[in-house]
């Protein structure tokens, strides 16, 4: 809380909660201004030192491909958590505006990729595709998503929508016999 009250937190608890508990500063925002600013600086330093760490910390595996609602809930939660994190770094002055728009664009890219991977794996589970690389479902899937506008330029802001164009390869070997390419890829989209 603000004012004259102080908060003492053991450093090992911060580390456990931040790394293992995936709290990402949310628990320390109300601590005090000094701890808040220190957390923002540490977060920015962590990303510089270990590029991609924020994306890895914000990733949650979805158990069971049949659970579409859970996958979408996790993507919405990711967007909310990451937007708060980016806003804190922005407001705290830890990231310049160029980093803020880059991170927002990376978040959108990661979210679209996760949704596409989910859909492709689900299509394989239903017997419509045989993915060459299930670890990277989009590779060799015959499905391409191109970002346009601000996302394509790497300039998303907090209120940006995303404009996507989807292409498919009708002759992709990943499609199983009997699967009509146009109907399949349109339905996938």
């Amino acid at each position: 809380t603000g004012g004259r009250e102080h908060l003492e937190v053991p450093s090992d608890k911060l580390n456990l909660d931040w790394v293992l508990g995936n709290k990402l500063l949310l628990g320390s925002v109300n601590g005090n201004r000094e701890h808040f600013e220190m957390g923002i600086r540490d977060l920015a330093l962590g990303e510089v030192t270990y590029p991609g760490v924020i994306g890895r910390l914000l990733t949650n595996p979805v158990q069971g491909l049949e659970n579409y609602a859970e996958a979408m809930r996790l993507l919405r939660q990711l967007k909310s958590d990451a937007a708060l994190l980016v806003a804190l770094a922005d407001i705290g002055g830890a990231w310049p505006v160029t980093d803020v728009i880059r991170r927002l664009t990376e978040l959108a890219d990661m979210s679209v990729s996760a949704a596409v991977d989910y859909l492709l794996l689900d299509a394989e589970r239903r017997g419509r595709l045989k993915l060459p690389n299930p670890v990277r479902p989009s590779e060799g899937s015959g499905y391409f998503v191109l970002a346009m506008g601000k996302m394509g330029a790497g300039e998303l802001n907090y209120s940006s929508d995303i404009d996507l164009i989807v292409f498919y390869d009708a002759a992709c070997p990943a499609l199983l016999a009997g699967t009509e390419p146009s109907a399949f890829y349109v339905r996938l989209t």
Side-chain angles (χ1 to χ4, degrees), residues 107-181:
L107 170 63
D109 183 58
M110 183 173 46
S111 297
V112 169
S113 293
V116 168
D117 287 351
Y118 176 88
L119 292 170
L120 291 169
L121 287 167
D122 187 53
E124 181 176 58
R125 181 183 63 82
R126 290 183 293 114
R128 306 298 301 268
L129 282 175
K130 178 60 181 149
L131 297 170
N133 185 358
V135 174
R136 295 181 183 268
S138 60
E139 288 182 7
S141 67
Y143 192 76
F144 309 89
V145 179
L146 180 64
M148 302 298 290
K150 288 185 177 188
M151 184 174 172
E155 299 174 348
L156 287 180
N157 61 49
Y158 295 106
S159 62
S160 295
D161 62 353
I162 60 173
D163 300 309
L164 305 173
I165 297 177
V166 177
F167 300 95
Y168 63 89
D169 176 3
C172 177
L175 286 172
L176 295 180
T179 301
E180 200 280 309

Side-chain angles (χ1 to χ4, degrees), residues 1-3 5-7 26-36:
T1 62
E5 295 183 32
H6 296 284
L7 175 67
L26 299 179
S28 65
V29 168
N30 293 318
N32 67 38
R33 183 170 178 87
E34 181 183 333
H35 288 142
F36 171 73

